[in-house]
Amino acid sequence: EIREFERRTNELFAAGEIRGTTHLCVGEEALNLGLATVLNPDDVIAATYRSHGIALAFGLSPHSVMAEIMGKSTGCAGGIGGSMHMCDSSVGVLPTSAIIGGGMPVAAGAALAFQIQGNDRVAVAIFGDGATNIGAFHETLNLASIWKLPVVFICDNNVYAEYSRINLTTPIEDLHIRAESYAMPHFALDGMDIDVVREGIQSAVDRARSGGGPTFIEAKTYRFAGHSRADQALYRPEGELE
C-alpha cells in the first residue's frame, strides 16, 4: 500500500495536481511497518518530512494522507501542513518536522512527560543519517541518557542526506557508535528486512518501557527515489540503485 501510494503521489506531482514538493520513502517501507507494529497504540512517534509511509503504517487512512498532500480540508492537518507535516494524535503521530533533526527533542519531551506521569508509554524519534551531524541530535541523546527517558532513537540511514552521500559528509560509516559518547545502548540492523526490524526495535522499546532508558538504533536502508520529487539523483554512482 505504501509503495503504491508513493507511486501515485509522484504521478500527481508530475501532472501538476499537487503544489510544493514531496519526499518519497520508496525502499524504506519495512522500517515504517516494523516500527508501527511493535509500538502500543498510545505510544508516539516524531518523524521527518519523509513521512507518508510512517503516517500510513501508523493508521492514517490513504484518504487522510493524500488529502493533506493535496491541501484539502479533509486532510489529517486540515490541508494546512501539506506533504511534509503529517499529524494525527489519535494514532500517536506527532507533527512531522521539516527541520533536520527537529523531531528528536520533541520525542524526548514526550518521553519526559510519560516519565513524570508515571506511565509506561514510549516515544520514538526517527530521523535520517544527516541529522546525526546536527546539534539537536547530540543535545537530545545527552539529555535522554542523563534522565533515562523512555525514548528510542532510530536513524533511518538511507545513504544520502538530501543530495550528499554519507561518505562526503560524515567521517564514520556506522553512525550508531556515536551513542557511545552518551553511554547509551546502540546497534545497527537491516532496515529493509521487516522481521529484523521488528525484533531489534522490540528490544529497545521493551528497555524503554521498563525504565531502562533510551536506545539508539541505526537502520540501514536505501532511498530508491531522489531527495525530493524534482531530484533525479544523478549524483548516484552508476549501478548503485540497481
Side-chain angles (χ1 to χ4, degrees):
E1 180 182 87
I2 294 172
R3 180 69 61 91
E4 177 63 18
F5 184 94
E6 294 292 63
R7 184 192 68 78
R8 185 64 179 136
T9 299
N10 196 46
E11 288 180 350
L12 288 168
F13 267 105
E17 296 293 331
I18 301 174
R19 297 181 181 180
T21 190
T22 192
H23 308 81
L24 306 180
C25 69
V26 178
E28 302 164 33
E29 297 92 345
L31 178 57
N32 296 335
L33 288 166
L35 171 59
T37 54
V38 163
L39 294 179
N40 288 345
D42 62 347
D43 293 332
V44 299
I45 181 167
T48 72
Y49 50 73
R50 198 178 303 278
S51 58
H52 305 164
I54 286 287
L56 293 168
F58 272 73
L60 274 73
S61 70
H63 175 94
S64 177
V65 180
M66 185 61 79
E68 185 60 37
I69 293 171
M70 299 190 75
K72 305 295 185 182
S73 61
T74 52
C76 59
I80 297 172
S83 175
M84 301 170 74
H85 301 291
M86 297 296 150
C87 174
D88 191 333
S89 59
S90 70
V91 295
V93 177
L94 301 175
T96 55
S97 175
I99 304 299
I100 304 299
M104 286 183 274
V106 174
L112 176 60
F114 300 156
Q115 186 182 72
I116 292 171
Q117 292 163 359
N119 56 47
D120 66 351
R121 297 170 68 186
V122 171
V124 175
I126 188 166
F127 47 92
D129 44 287
T132 64
N133 293 328
I134 300 296
F137 167 83
H138 299 279
E139 295 165 354
T140 305
L141 263 65
N142 187 75
L143 188 72
S145 184
I146 289 293
W147 287 352
K148 292 190 178 299
L149 297 180
V151 58
V152 178
F153 299 103
I154 301 177
C155 175
D156 181 358
N157 184 355
N158 62 20
V159 183
Y160 287 92
E162 295 190 341
Y163 314 102
S164 302
R165 206 173 194 284
I166 187 171
N167 60 295
L168 302 177
T169 63
T170 309
I172 56 174
E173 182 176 338
D174 295 317
L175 302 176
H176 65 95
I177 66 173
R178 287 183 160 172
E180 288 284 338
S181 301
Y182 308 107
M184 185 182 299
H186 59 91
F187 56 89
L189 53 76
D190 182 352
M192 302 177 80
D193 184 324
I194 192 167
D195 295 321
V196 172
V197 168
R198 283 172 52 83
E199 181 180 358
I201 295 178
Q202 185 71 68
S203 66
V205 169
D206 289 345
R207 172 183 167 83
R209 207 179 299 286
S210 63
T215 303
F216 180 35
I217 300 172
E218 179 185 358
K220 306 276 191 178
T221 66
Y222 190 77
R223 192 187 75 198
F224 290 0
H227 169 61
S228 61
R229 71 178 183 93
D231 176 22
Q232 297 179 336
L234 300 179
Y235 43 78
R236 277 199 276 235
E238 185 177 353
E240 182 179 84
L241 177 60
E242 286 72 23

